[in-house]
Amino acid sequence: MKSHCFPGKKIVNHLVMAALLAAPALAAAQQAKLKVGLMMSYTGTFSGPSNAATNGFKQFVNENGGKLGGREVEYFAVDDQADPAKATENANKLIKRDRVDVVVGAIHSGVALALAKVARETNTLMVVPNAAADELTGVLCAPNIFRVSFSSWQPAYAMGQHVGKKHKNAVTLTWKYAAGLQMVEGFKEGFEKKGGKVAKEMTLPFPNVEFQAFLTEIASIKPEAVYVFFAGAGAAKFVRDYAAAGLNKSIPLYAPGFLTDGTLEAMGDAGQGLLTTLHYADGINNPKNAAFRLGYVKAYKAEPDVYAVQGYDAAQLLDAGIGAVKGDTAKRADLVKAMEDAKIDSPRGAFTFTKAHNPIQDIYLRKVEGRENRLVEVTSKALADPARGCRM
Amino acid sequence: MDFYSFLIQVLNSIQYGLLLFLVASGLTLVFGIMGIINLAHGAFYMVGAYLAFGLTSLTGSFVLSILLGIPLMLVIGALLEWALFSFLYERDHLEQVLLTYGLILIFEELRSLIAGDDVHGVAAPGWLSASIPLGDTMSYPVYRLVISGACILLAAGLFFLIQKTRLGMLIRAGSHDRDMVQSLGFNINLIYRTVFALGVALAAFAGMLAAPVSSVFPGMGGQVLIVSFVIVVIGGIGSVWGALFAALLVGFADTFGKVFVPDFSGVIVYVLMAAVLLWRPEGIFSKK
Amino acid sequence: MNFPYSLWSKLILLAALLAFPALDMPFYAELVAKTLLFGLFAMSLGLLVGYTGLASLGHAAYFGIATYVVALMTPGYEAASFWLTFPAAVLISAASALVVGLFVLRTKGIYFIMVTLAFAQMAFYLFHDTALGGGSDGIYLNARPDATLFGSKLIDLDKPLHLYYLIVLVLVLGYLFLQRILQSPFGRVLAGIKSNEHRMRSMGYPTFRYKLAAFTIAGGIAGAAGYLYAVLFGFITPELLSWHHSADVLLMVILGGMGSLGGAFAGAVAFIAMQEIFSSFTKHWQLVMGVVIVVVVLFLPGGLVAIPRRARAAFFGGASDE
């Protein structure tokens, strides 16, 4: 019988041809899963922030159907134990053993610096969800390294400007390590720009908490303000000692947000009314924040914090970049460009990136009320880290 | 420095030294009488602090949490001795070091599982939260004086126990010659259990007292551990007087060191120990 | 009946180590390399603890000093010479051990343990609190040492394969060196000191000098291990000199069995293997590790190397022949 052209035959032929031609393209689109390596401090004192950041990250991915940029996500996690000495090994677990496509880490600055070194050597894409070391988007900046949190300089400079509006001299005190020294440098810069003068910069070896000598010194200098950087148990002890020495009645105390993040319970009443600066606060009023907080509480039965926001935004950034290259992470140059140009609709407020890949964001002034750091005002709008030493 | 600053530092030195004494006294008794090196001793300090936090949250009263906590720690200490430490008497020091190091890991992880990794605060009771003004800008917290007072009372109690009671006599005899005591018909195992439980409770009590001042956090056990060993060694193993003297010495050296030479304060305690040991290799008040 | 199990097993192990890179698992090759250098570190302490009876709780200081030496000799981004830095690191570590030994070897027993700790803590605080090595943040070794010899770049430490074989080589040389020492008259004296120092002294041996020599040699070899660590990982912190680190290596020696170099090595392998395996199962791996340690101490005196002997004894009955 003649194939009287069952009229659709040609069409079927064409369809089959099309399918055969499309198959490779389809296969390419049906890509392998996106391997996301999470390197954070899941044990030890940074476990809270690490879990929060991971939760935030996963929350976005889940809201997006389990995908980033159209590709399904497969997680690999390594606990870096906040130990910089083991960081290179741990980084290699993700990069060389698990061969991840992108590393999201770290929370601890020392670990992040070691991780960044490995990322640069292996040209692995890296998104920093917390670590504040200025170098990451400064001297050590690289096309494949992005940060969605903040640099030490940002809240410090903002606080310096704020204090400079009201006071003319101040004294600083912090631990003698990179994070502390950067926080003080940033403050000094902002403060001096407003005409203030830092009368004395004091340090003590990390992690000493014997503050009495310094409190006595402050009492004898009688500055108009005191700016400190401490975190964790040390922060709680300092604030309590400051109050116990009676200094909080006469000399106002200022600090970046980490003095009062996670330490309010340990500080008790001594911490009430403290003013700090950070890129997030309780009471930020925008729809994204409301939706984010609702979703987080529903998924994890706990209130989100700045770390959760940063994790969420890390996922947003990757989604923007990978989506722009349609999931083809091999197109590294295009991927990076898309990430550089991304505008992140963050719960903290929308932000973009500097050339060195650090967020240009609003810094908020917060006040401790009860167990919260309540938003007072925006103390610096769209503050960009100067990225000193970056050669990009 | 002016008079008030000096006074504050002296008070701080005494308070720190006395707290360390509580921890070190338990260690020196256990070591001197039972011959056991217990690296996990710092963990008892930590457990005490966490207990204070937990019980205070539960009962709302710091004082009550201490009154409940001490008997609890005595029982826990006795149980630990019976279940684990009694096997160590015949072993050599290195095996004790190894086993008790394993215990540190276990205690730390259990703490992480049960109480998490956050920093916690314990509020001193309201009636003790005042500050005594010194000079026009400084004031000194009453609670720190209370810590020193409590430690002095406890030290007095300890001396009374060891010097004036029958149990104390047995303890002293047992530290000189264990076999003789046993052959005289005394239940040396019971004596050991009591001493160990006492040591555990002392360290825990120190942790409870310190909690309002130092906060409750992971790693607090490790901070006191090494210093306690230093004190035991300087004072002479087995000597409670030695522990008191050495603890106060360390308290002063450390506190004033941090004031005058903060960059070298870390080494001071160790230089002190090395100096003492090279002069008197068995410790200052050693009995052996 | 006297089949040299020991020699054959060591040769097989060596062959396996040499062949490992062929499996092309770069992450695991790095892990093996790390295990080997810790094995060397543990063996150096084994010389002190197992053979001379000197339990040092401050041995990590000599490991750490070597890491700082190579890092400080490599300022900026320019590679220093391997042939200069390696001997320098080993010699400086050994010299530090010599100086410390002059002080600590006057004490005994628990006091000795504590004074070794004290001096290690002094070294720790020296690097941690002063600006000498970047303080508590640590420093980076930005460029691996250059092993150019007579103008030819035969050995290139930037190539992981070369570094791996270098570590194997240093381990083998270190092991052979220690073996020779221990089987020599010098080693016999050390054993005699461990069992009864009084007797050795009354026989006329200057025991202090022998102990000092052992302490110094152990320090130098620890320095060699530290140097390799610095080159392998490129990041140095004061934590490498901490008492935790000293306790870890002491544990390796005790865990493996104190009487032999092989025991120390086995202890290092077991310790690192346990860390890796347990941490991949649970984030509370330290709990498992602690339990394993407690169990080993309670039920396995003599450490891990005693297992074959005890297994044989249990299996075949009768008294074990030791």
Side-chain angles (χ1 to χ4, degrees):
Chain A
M1 240 10 266
K2 245 166 92 188
S3 58
H4 229 289
C5 295
F6 143 58
K9 187 164 180 189
K10 259 208 177 138
I11 300 175
V12 169
N13 265 346
H14 283 163
L15 278 176
V16 168
M17 286 279 288
L20 281 173
L21 284 171
L26 263 179
Q30 291 282 42
Q31 286 140 340
K33 291 192 189 171
L34 181 75
K35 289 179 167 180
V36 172
L38 299 167
M39 181 150 147
M40 305 198 205
S41 314
Y42 294 109
T43 54
T45 36
F46 288 91
S47 62
S50 301
N51 287 327
T54 304
N55 288 346
F57 190 94
K58 289 188 178 174
Q59 182 182 340
F60 179 82
V61 172
N62 292 339
E63 284 172 7
N64 229 19
K67 298 191 179 150
L68 280 179
R71 280 181 68 180
E72 219 183 304
V73 174
E74 190 184 358
Y75 295 106
F76 293 85
V78 158
D79 174 18
D80 61 38
Q81 298 168 265
D83 187 354
K86 296 207 184 102
T88 314
E89 273 184 77
N90 284 323
N92 285 335
K93 278 186 195 168
L94 288 172
I95 295 175
K96 290 188 188 157
R97 183 187 67 181
D98 302 330
R99 301 187 211 236
V100 296
D101 296 305
V102 58
V103 174
V104 177
I107 302 290
H108 181 279
S109 274
V111 171
L113 287 170
L115 174 61
K117 186 166 183 247
V118 178
R120 268 199 313 280
E121 281 169 11
T122 55
N123 197 21
T124 311
L125 187 63
M126 173 175 161
V127 178
V128 180
N130 183 62
D134 288 339
E135 298 93 329
L136 287 168
T137 53
V139 176
L140 300 175
C141 69
N144 57 316
I145 298 180
F146 283 79
R147 172 154 54 190
V148 292
S149 52
F150 67 112
S151 67
S152 298
W153 184 89
Q154 284 172 305
Y157 183 86
M159 185 50 102
Q161 299 251 291
H162 174 81
V163 175
K165 282 188 257 174
K166 303 180 166 178
H167 304 287
K168 283 301 148 230
N169 64 66
V171 160
T172 64
L173 175 65
T174 184
W175 281 316
K176 195 170 27 182
Y177 69 153
L181 297 172
Q182 285 178 356
M183 290 285 182
V184 166
E185 276 308 301
F187 171 83
K188 193 167 160 198
E189 196 183 323
F191 190 55
E192 284 176 352
K193 274 227 173 80
K194 284 277 194 249
K197 189 154 168 17
V198 176
K200 191 160 186 185
E201 290 176 50
M202 303 188 287
T203 61
L204 71 164
F206 174 77
N208 283 358
V209 289
E210 194 41 69
F211 302 114
Q212 203 60 52
F214 300 97
L215 294 173
T216 318
E217 185 73 10
I218 291 173
S220 68
I221 295 180
K222 293 202 197 9
E224 287 178 40
V226 171
Y227 173 84
V228 300
F229 172 67
F230 295 109
K237 182 162 195 292
F238 180 80
V239 171
R240 274 206 314 273
D241 285 357
Y242 195 80
L247 288 170
N248 59 339
K249 297 195 185 64
S250 47
I251 307 175
L253 183 63
Y254 299 95
F258 294 99
L259 191 78
T260 54
D261 251 41
T263 54
L264 289 177
E265 187 227 318
M267 277 180 203
D269 293 333
Q272 295 304 305
L274 268 179
L275 289 172
T276 58
T277 47
L278 202 65
H279 50 295
Y280 193 63
D282 293 311
I284 290 180
N285 206 353
N286 68 53
K288 186 75 182 182
N289 193 31
F292 164 73
R293 291 192 81 95
L294 215 62
Y296 190 93
V297 169
K298 201 153 133 198
Y300 304 109
K301 315 271 183 289
E303 288 290 333
D305 54 19
V306 61
Y307 304 103
V309 172
Q310 289 166 177
Y312 189 82
D313 290 342
Q316 291 208 78
L317 174 63
L318 285 171
D319 184 54
I322 298 175
V325 291
K326 309 248 187 306
D328 188 358
T329 49
K331 296 207 178 107
R332 177 60 72 81
D334 294 335
L335 172 58
V336 166
K337 183 91 182 43
M339 285 168 77
E340 284 175 343
D341 294 340
K343 181 169 177 185
I344 307 293
D345 182 17
S346 166
R348 71 185 98 163
F351 67 85
T352 53
F353 291 94
T354 57
K355 282 192 60 130
H357 300 172
N358 196 56
I360 304 173
Q361 56 192 338
D362 295 344
I363 304 292
Y364 302 104
L365 184 70
R366 308 119 40 97
K367 187 173 185 183
V368 174
E369 285 169 16
R371 289 272 182 269
E372 288 194 329
N373 285 290
R374 282 256 122 203
L375 172 66
V376 172
E377 63 185 25
V378 175
T379 190
S380 291
K381 215 150 170 41
L383 188 61
D385 178 279
R388 301 202 164 101
C390 179
R391 282 166 290 176
M392 284 212 298
Chain B
M1 70 177 5
D2 66 24
F3 172 70
Y4 286 121
S5 310
F6 181 73
L7 181 63
I8 287 175
Q9 299 302 24
V10 168
L11 290 173
N12 280 345
S13 303
I14 294 177
Q15 176 237 301
Y16 182 49
L18 284 173
L19 263 182
L20 288 178
F21 165 67
L22 284 192
V23 181
S25 61
L27 194 60
T28 202
L29 281 176
V30 168
F31 199 165
I33 291 162
M34 298 152 68
I36 294 187
I37 301 180
N38 179 14
L39 286 183
H41 197 68
F44 302 137
Y45 175 83
M46 172 191 71
V47 171
Y50 273 88
L51 254 188
F53 167 67
L55 289 175
T56 307
S57 310
L58 216 61
T59 65
S61 160
F62 181 64
V63 177
L64 191 59
S65 74
I66 292 187
L67 290 175
L68 286 174
I70 295 187
L72 185 62
M73 288 311 292
L74 281 168
V75 168
I76 291 179
L79 274 173
L80 269 175
E81 193 277 346
W82 172 77
L84 207 55
F85 282 87
S86 50
F87 295 106
L88 289 180
Y89 299 140
E90 306 303 325
R91 304 297 191 91
D92 73 48
H93 286 326
L94 284 176
E95 291 184 299
Q96 293 170 0
V97 164
L98 184 57
L99 186 137
T100 54
Y101 187 83
L103 278 183
I104 296 180
L105 296 178
I106 295 178
F107 278 123
E108 282 290 331
E109 279 302 310
L110 283 178
R111 188 263 318 139
S112 175
L113 276 166
I114 297 175
D117 292 312
D118 296 323
V119 179
H120 296 292
V122 178
W127 49 283
L128 289 176
S129 296
S131 285
I132 299 177
L134 298 170
D136 50 345
T137 38
M138 303 289 294
S139 53
Y140 197 75
V142 166
Y143 183 70
R144 287 193 179 225
L145 293 171
V146 168
I147 292 181
S148 296
C151 291
I152 292 176
L153 276 176
L154 210 71
L158 197 60
F159 283 116
F160 181 78
L161 175 76
I162 293 184
Q163 298 294 127
K164 304 278 183 203
T165 67
R166 210 172 128 101
L167 175 63
M169 179 188 72
L170 289 171
I171 290 176
R172 277 179 287 135
S175 79
H176 280 290
D177 195 333
R178 174 192 181 182
D179 295 318
M180 182 61 84
V181 172
Q182 197 155 20
S183 60
L184 283 172
F186 293 105
N187 186 347
I188 196 77
N189 290 327
L190 201 56
I191 296 175
Y192 280 7
R193 197 156 303 153
T194 311
V195 170
F196 191 83
L198 189 62
V200 169
L202 282 169
F205 181 56
M208 287 186 229
L209 278 180
V213 170
S214 71
S215 306
V216 178
F217 57 97
M220 62 188 302
Q223 283 179 358
V224 271
L225 176 68
I226 289 292
V227 183
S228 312
F229 267 102
V230 170
I231 290 172
V232 165
V233 166
I234 291 180
I237 297 175
S239 163
V240 181
W241 277 120
L244 181 61
F245 176 77
L248 286 171
L249 187 63
V250 166
F252 273 89
D254 193 65
T255 306
F256 278 94
K258 289 189 165 121
V259 172
F260 288 120
V261 282
D263 281 356
F264 296 102
S265 58
V267 264
I268 288 183
V269 166
Y270 299 100
V271 172
L272 190 64
M273 171 163 85
V276 166
L277 285 181
L278 294 172
W279 164 54
R280 275 178 93 92
E282 314 248 294
I284 299 183
F285 287 86
S286 174
K287 294 181 165 146
K288 307 241 163 135
Chain C
M1 209 53 237
N2 258 331
F3 188 73
Y5 284 112
S6 181
L7 179 62
W8 273 103
S9 56
K10 285 179 190 142
L11 286 174
I12 292 175
L13 179 63
L14 181 61
L17 285 175
L18 290 170
F20 192 83
L23 293 172
D24 191 29
M25 297 200 280
F27 171 72
Y28 288 103
E30 195 177 75
L31 185 61
V32 170
K34 169 184 151 185
T35 310
L36 293 182
L37 67 89
F38 272 96
L40 184 64
F41 185 31
M43 289 196 295
S44 74
L45 185 61
L47 170 70
L48 280 182
V49 176
Y51 284 96
T52 322
L54 293 170
S56 165
L57 196 52
H59 206 54
Y62 314 109
F63 182 95
I65 287 175
T67 62
Y68 273 99
V69 165
V70 66
L72 291 171
M73 281 177 87
T74 313
Y77 289 85
E78 252 201 63
S81 161
F82 169 80
W83 307 106
L84 206 61
T85 51
F86 185 68
V90 172
L91 283 172
I92 293 180
S93 292
S96 313
L98 180 68
V99 169
V100 173
L102 285 171
F103 290 104
V104 302
L105 288 166
R106 294 167 199 271
T107 59
K108 290 199 188 7
I110 179 65
Y111 299 98
F112 174 78
I113 297 179
M114 294 306 293
V115 203
T116 54
L117 170 67
F119 278 92
Q121 288 289 84
M122 285 189 230
F124 169 79
Y125 281 109
L126 176 69
F127 287 109
H128 188 271
D129 284 349
T130 64
L132 180 57
S136 59
D137 295 313
I139 41 176
Y140 284 92
L141 181 69
N142 286 313
R144 292 211 165 87
D146 184 4
T148 312
L149 193 58
F150 307 124
S152 105
K153 220 163 184 218
L154 194 61
I155 312 170
D156 181 4
L157 292 179
D158 283 312
K159 296 207 176 72
L161 193 66
H162 290 197
L163 182 56
Y164 177 87
Y165 283 126
L166 176 69
I167 293 179
V168 174
L169 180 66
V170 173
L171 172 73
V172 170
L173 289 177
Y175 175 75
L176 291 174
F177 176 69
L178 285 170
Q179 274 280 54
R180 293 250 56 216
I181 291 183
L182 290 169
Q183 282 162 357
S184 73
F186 175 79
R188 299 288 152 76
V189 176
L190 291 184
I193 291 175
K194 179 183 180 190
S195 78
N196 192 331
E197 190 176 345
H198 253 112
R199 190 180 356 138
M200 295 306 286
R201 259 214 301 272
S202 61
M203 281 163 69
Y205 285 101
T207 55
F208 183 81
R209 285 198 211 154
Y210 278 90
K211 289 195 292 187
L212 188 60
F215 200 77
T216 307
I217 292 173
I221 296 184
Y227 181 91
L228 293 172
Y229 176 92
V231 175
L232 186 61
F233 290 114
F235 182 54
I236 291 125
T237 73
E239 298 302 317
L240 291 173
L241 294 99
S242 70
W243 75 269
H244 288 283
H245 206 223
S246 290
D248 280 351
V249 67
L250 186 59
L251 287 178
M252 291 178 198
V253 173
I254 303 175
L255 194 63
M258 287 190 282
S260 67
L261 291 177
F265 185 82
V269 173
F271 190 84
I272 293 179
M274 279 203 287
Q275 275 186 335
E276 286 298 317
I277 297 175
F278 294 159
S279 60
S280 66
F281 279 133
T282 163
K283 72 175 197 176
H284 295 289
W285 59 275
Q286 303 211 62
L287 183 61
V288 183
M289 188 110 174
V291 170
V292 168
I293 291 176
V294 169
V295 164
V296 164
V297 172
L298 286 180
F299 299 113
L300 269 184
L304 294 172
V305 279
I307 292 181
R309 167 168 51 90
R310 289 163 69 98
R312 245 180 286 144
F315 209 51
F316 296 114
S320 42
D321 53 353
E322 205 95 14

